Amino acid sequence: MSVTIKDVAKRANVSPSTVSRVLSDSSKISDKTKKKVRKTMDELGYHINFNARVLVQKSTKAIGIVMKHSASQSMQNPFFPEILRGISAFCHKKEYSISLTTGESEQAIFEEVIKMVQGKRVDGLIVLYSKEDDQVVPYLLEQKIPFVVIGKPASQSNQMMYVDNDNVQAAKEATEFLIQLGHERIGFIGDDPTFQVMQDRLNGYREGLLTSGLEVIDAYVKDFIYGTDRVKQIIDELVALTIKPTAIVISADVNAFAVMKELRERGITVPEQMSIISFNNTILSQFSIPPMTAVDIQTYQLGYEASRCVIELIHDTEMFKHSVIIPTIIKVRESTCIPKIAET
Amino acid sequence: MSVTIKDVAKRANVSPSTVSRVLSDSSKISDKTKKKVRKTMDELGYHINFNARVLVQKSTKAIGIVMKHSASQSMQNPFFPEILRGISAFCHKKEYSISLTTGESEQAIFEEVIKMVQGKRVDGLIVLYSKEDDQVVPYLLEQKIPFVVIGKPASQSNQMMYVDNDNVQAAKEATEFLIQLGHERIGFIGDDPTFQVMQDRLNGYREGLLTSGLEVIDAYVKDFIYGTDRVKQIIDELVALTIKPTAIVISADVNAFAVMKELRERGITVPEQMSIISFNNTILSQFSIPPMTAVDIQTYQLGYEASRCVIELIHDTEMFKHSVIIPTIIKVRESTCIPKIAET
DNA sequence: GTGAAAGCGCTAACAC
DNA sequence: GTGTTAGCGCTTTCAC
């Protein structure tokens, strides 16, 4: 029913292979034949059947994106669209298409990854998270399919490529930024600790305190599971302390937003009574009141480099497995200031 | 290199066609053979090559998502991930995979759509926007490939399926909500007027005023192009009026956020001096200070229904082309109140 | 119930 | 430079 290479060949009085060669713009075909063949293609409204090519070439020119479970959560976070935008940009340049996992649970996503890989639907993958006890990465490793992880792998990091920020360093710098302003009592609010990025940021925070000769106070360190009402509880606990922190490092701006709101409701002013520095610098950081000082992790770049890496890896499977660290930048806005003497 | 249907056939002492029948769980194969074949599949680590099946069956079990140009903008808006989540959910249920356009410009996206369609990489598509002078929709119509538009088509709406809110009605209700509170001078801030949704909301706003016997005042109606500094200008203009509005209907919560910030900077309090009702009810609505009263357009449902529609359409191309209207709900929060008498 | 054979639309040796 | 031929891995008549 739809027009094939053979139809074109017949009409142009050449062989199918010639048409195929024209399709791939082979240098062995004379300009004259090329022109002739292209003309008949147009006349017939021919368009290549990608699947047929895929079948013989064993290259799909598609990459799979493995989402963090659950998609619901990861999508609520503006981080996701931004990273996707970075991935898209490079993929589009290299004419790769993007295929998304659709599952909600870890298990559902894993099964889809298997289908993508075994079913040969993608040439490579980008894993949008790095997590302890994850099944996807070990599976991909075992299948020897090109893939790149965004975030530092929890283990075997030398066997795979990853794109990440130096989250330890970034959190250290964020903490030091507060210290340089004069803060000495600095809290930390993280979220799901099973993700590597949280561990790193927590460690960086600790390092920042320690290298400045400050103590790490356990009561100042909290976890925040998004979606629950932990915020209120956390702020309750922090406020109940006789010696309260004057500043907090918060692992994600979505969380910082919630914290700032909660502080506001209790009449605690930001930054006067509490300085806040957050991570990610998504659009939310600019929208908060006051706008947040935030560590810009350059999400777009993270995605862009990740897709560059997989695509390079696809073309050279034996490539040296280097990893890419995207620098972070502190965007100073209005949620941080020098601590109030009165409060010290 | 990878194990094929023939390998399984040989090992199980059956023919390739039998293996194929087992794959599709044909009723003509005895349970005994099925068991035997499945066992050897496991032993050999066989997995179907999807592309081969696609080539012969001419069904990819994939649907393409056509993004609004530019991806950058649409992705910044939390609307996008939420709709994608709805699409994913249904696709996952029906075991369809999702393929995204990656281009930034309208032209780049159009070219990708052509590749998706002609290259037979997808069985159907969802167009995430509805816009005047769009090339994609007419093309899809001409190609006779199943597709669904999210938003009301600018023209030929009877020839295609779409999923939308009743935006005229929703805007009317939002306006009437303010009128019922006692507001009589109500403004409207839209954005890119080339999108159908904007036209609809503007019309609904007008209707709302007119049916309540209020006048439409041109000076109260503004457009807002996201990313530019039009906000300041708009607020300047509104504030400069001798008779200012006491309430505003704003077409998207991202925009409402910007407006509220701008008002705040000028010391105009929300809702006391200016009531605000916005559209979409993304996570931003909850995060603003004060939290916004917003029209919930049920974005997730929009996506879910859209994928249900394309997939049904794929299975029954001759299906009656009905469209789906997703109801909206006004979420009352704290950005609206009765107008202050002093100001009237 | 199961097998043999043809073919989906393309590419890639190998000829010439 | 161009044609011939043999598949890629699967499904699907048509036999039996």
Side-chain angles (χ1 to χ4, degrees):
Chain A
M1 66 176 203
S2 57
V3 6
T4 77
I5 219 175
K6 284 186 189 162
D7 302 324
V8 177
K10 212 165 287 172
R11 177 83 111 89
N13 283 315
V14 293
S15 75
S17 41
T18 301
V19 179
S20 171
R21 287 183 186 111
V22 173
L23 274 181
S24 50
D25 202 19
S26 157
S27 56
K28 320 191 139 190
I29 300 288
S30 71
D31 279 2
K32 200 175 142 223
T33 341
K34 276 188 188 172
K35 209 162 280 173
K36 184 176 65 178
V37 170
R38 294 217 173 97
K39 187 156 161 275
T40 38
M41 280 180 175
D42 277 357
E43 284 169 16
L44 263 41
Y46 170 82
H47 196 281
I48 190 173
N49 181 324
F50 217 82
N51 302 305
R53 169 182 277 186
V54 162
L55 187 58
V56 36
Q57 293 197 148
K58 282 142 177 39
S59 151
T60 62
K61 292 272 259 172
I63 74 154
I65 311 289
V66 186
M67 306 258 236
K68 180 163 136 188
H69 91 289
S70 68
S72 3
Q73 247 178 264
S74 69
M75 288 200 190
Q76 287 277 20
N77 191 330
F79 170 80
F80 163 76
E82 184 64 9
I83 205 152
L84 198 53
R85 197 167 72 84
I87 294 173
S88 292
F90 192 78
C91 282
H92 186 254
K93 215 159 124 179
K94 295 295 180 183
E95 304 206 281
Y96 271 72
S97 66
I98 286 181
S99 188
L100 252 40
T101 63
T102 57
E104 280 280 306
S105 70
E106 246 173 279
Q107 191 53 34
I109 291 174
F110 182 49
E111 282 158 16
E112 280 183 276
V113 169
I114 295 180
K115 279 190 197 162
M116 278 188 182
V117 174
Q118 309 261 43
K120 310 220 184 331
R121 287 152 85 84
V122 296
D123 292 343
L125 300 99
I126 296 177
V127 180
L128 285 194
Y129 62 86
S130 169
K131 195 173 176 301
E132 285 174 3
D133 306 320
D134 165 60
Q135 330 176 57
V136 173
V137 169
Y139 170 77
L140 297 178
L141 224 37
E142 178 197 318
Q143 293 292 318
K144 299 198 197 315
I145 186 167
F147 73 97
V148 168
V149 174
I150 293 187
K152 189 165 190 306
S155 60
Q156 303 174 286
S157 65
N158 51 333
Q159 291 174 50
M160 63 191 90
M161 269 172 84
Y162 63 90
V163 176
D164 197 10
N165 307 108
D166 186 340
N167 277 302
V168 177
Q169 180 63 19
K172 186 165 175 244
E173 283 171 11
T175 311
E176 285 170 349
F177 174 82
L178 294 171
I179 295 170
Q180 271 155 31
L181 283 178
H183 293 275
E184 297 189 331
R185 300 196 308 275
I186 301 170
F188 179 88
I189 301 180
D191 53 19
D192 189 345
T194 60
F195 288 96
Q196 186 60 36
V197 53
M198 286 314 313
Q199 310 276 7
D200 289 350
R201 289 182 185 166
L202 181 54
N203 288 336
Y205 156 79
R206 291 209 178 100
E207 270 187 34
L209 292 179
L210 295 173
T211 54
S212 297
L214 294 172
E215 225 180 315
V216 178
I217 299 169
D218 284 346
Y220 286 0
V221 177
K222 305 284 179 191
D223 280 335
F224 180 113
I225 308 294
Y226 184 70
T228 66
D229 236 2
R230 270 286 281 157
V231 218
K232 279 192 202 307
Q233 196 191 331
I234 286 171
I235 304 299
D236 276 344
E237 289 168 8
L238 249 27
V239 163
L241 296 171
T242 40
I243 306 180
K244 302 183 227 332
T246 60
I248 319 180
V249 177
I250 303 181
S251 68
D253 46 14
V254 202
N255 297 349
F257 218 110
V259 169
M260 281 171 67
K261 248 195 116 163
E262 194 58 33
L263 290 173
R264 176 175 212 93
E265 273 168 24
R266 290 154 194 265
I268 299 170
T269 57
V270 173
E272 295 76 10
Q273 291 171 285
M274 187 71 82
S275 282
I276 300 279
I277 186 167
S278 73
F279 271 86
N280 295 5
N281 193 36
T282 67
I283 199 168
L284 286 175
S285 304
Q286 303 155 44
F287 274 168
S288 67
I289 298 170
M292 292 177 211
T293 296
V295 178
D296 188 341
I297 59 170
Q298 308 211 70
T299 313
Y300 177 91
Q301 283 306 323
L302 240 28
Y304 193 88
E305 287 303 319
S307 49
R308 181 210 290 285
C309 286
V310 235
I311 292 176
E312 282 178 355
L313 206 49
I314 288 166
H315 292 110
D316 176 13
T317 326
E318 292 309 307
M319 179 177 144
F320 176 67
K321 304 261 188 312
H322 67 281
S323 289
V324 177
I325 302 300
I326 305 289
T328 59
I329 303 156
I330 296 180
K331 278 269 179 217
V332 182
R333 297 204 184 84
E334 296 151 40
S335 66
T336 44
C337 71
I338 56 169
K340 294 284 280 278
I341 310 297
E343 290 277 314
T344 317
Chain B
M1 82 185 184
S2 56
V3 6
T4 76
I5 218 175
K6 284 186 190 163
D7 302 324
V8 177
K10 212 166 285 172
R11 177 84 111 89
N13 282 315
V14 294
S15 74
S17 35
T18 301
V19 179
S20 171
R21 288 185 184 109
V22 172
L23 273 181
S24 50
D25 202 21
S26 156
S27 57
K28 324 190 134 189
I29 300 287
S30 71
D31 281 2
K32 201 176 141 221
T33 344
K34 274 187 187 171
K35 209 162 278 174
K36 184 176 66 179
V37 171
R38 293 216 173 96
K39 188 159 160 272
T40 38
M41 280 179 175
D42 278 358
E43 283 169 17
L44 262 42
Y46 169 82
H47 197 282
I48 189 172
N49 181 323
F50 217 82
N51 302 305
R53 170 180 278 187
V54 163
L55 186 58
V56 35
Q57 293 196 151
K58 283 144 178 36
S59 150
T60 61
K61 292 271 260 173
I63 74 155
I65 310 288
V66 186
M67 305 255 236
K68 181 164 136 184
H69 93 288
S70 68
S72 4
Q73 245 177 266
S74 70
M75 288 199 188
Q76 288 276 22
N77 190 331
F79 170 81
F80 163 74
E82 184 63 8
I83 205 153
L84 198 52
R85 197 167 73 81
I87 295 174
S88 291
F90 193 78
C91 282
H92 186 254
K93 217 159 125 180
K94 296 294 179 182
E95 304 207 281
Y96 271 71
S97 66
I98 285 180
S99 188
L100 252 40
T101 62
T102 57
E104 281 280 307
S105 71
E106 247 172 280
Q107 191 53 34
I109 291 174
F110 182 49
E111 282 159 15
E112 281 183 275
V113 170
I114 294 180
K115 279 191 195 160
M116 277 189 183
V117 175
Q118 310 261 44
K120 310 222 184 329
R121 286 151 85 84
V122 296
D123 293 342
L125 300 100
I126 296 177
V127 180
L128 287 193
Y129 61 86
S130 169
K131 195 172 176 302
E132 284 174 3
D133 305 319
D134 166 60
Q135 329 176 57
V136 173
V137 168
Y139 170 78
L140 296 178
L141 225 36
E142 178 197 319
Q143 294 290 318
K144 300 197 196 316
I145 186 168
F147 73 98
V148 169
V149 173
I150 293 187
K152 189 165 190 306
S155 60
Q156 302 174 287
S157 65
N158 52 332
Q159 291 173 50
M160 63 190 90
M161 269 171 85
Y162 64 90
V163 176
D164 196 11
N165 307 109
D166 186 339
N167 278 302
V168 177
Q169 180 63 18
K172 186 166 174 242
E173 283 172 10
T175 310
E176 284 170 348
F177 174 82
L178 294 171
I179 295 172
Q180 271 155 30
L181 283 177
H183 293 274
E184 296 188 333
R185 300 197 308 275
I186 301 170
F188 179 89
I189 302 182
D191 53 18
D192 190 344
T194 60
F195 288 95
Q196 185 60 36
V197 54
M198 287 314 313
Q199 309 277 9
D200 288 350
R201 290 182 184 165
L202 181 55
N203 287 336
Y205 156 79
R206 290 206 178 104
E207 271 186 33
L209 292 180
L210 295 175
T211 55
S212 298
L214 295 172
E215 225 179 315
V216 177
I217 299 168
D218 284 346
Y220 287 0
V221 177
K222 304 285 180 191
D223 281 334
F224 180 113
I225 308 294
Y226 184 69
T228 66
D229 236 2
R230 269 285 281 158
V231 218
K232 279 192 204 306
Q233 197 192 329
I234 285 172
I235 304 299
D236 276 343
E237 290 169 7
L238 250 25
V239 163
L241 296 171
T242 40
I243 307 180
K244 301 182 228 334
T246 61
I248 318 179
V249 177
I250 303 181
S251 68
D253 46 14
V254 203
N255 297 350
F257 218 111
V259 169
M260 281 171 68
K261 251 195 113 163
E262 194 58 33
L263 289 174
R264 178 175 212 91
E265 273 167 26
R266 290 155 195 264
I268 299 171
T269 58
V270 173
E272 294 78 7
Q273 290 171 285
M274 187 70 82
S275 282
I276 300 278
I277 186 166
S278 72
F279 271 86
N280 295 4
N281 192 37
T282 68
I283 199 167
L284 286 174
S285 303
Q286 303 155 45
F287 274 167
S288 66
I289 300 170
M292 290 176 213
T293 295
V295 177
D296 188 341
I297 58 170
Q298 309 210 71
T299 314
Y300 176 91
Q301 283 306 323
L302 241 26
Y304 192 88
E305 287 303 319
S307 50
R308 180 211 291 283
C309 287
V310 236
I311 292 176
E312 282 178 356
L313 207 49
I314 288 166
H315 292 110
D316 176 12
T317 326
E318 291 309 308
M319 179 175 142
F320 177 67
K321 304 260 187 314
H322 67 280
S323 290
V324 178
I325 301 300
I326 305 289
T328 59
I329 303 157
I330 296 181
K331 279 268 181 215
V332 182
R333 297 205 183 83
E334 297 151 39
S335 66
T336 44
C337 71
I338 56 170
K340 294 284 278 279
I341 310 296
E343 289 278 311
T344 314

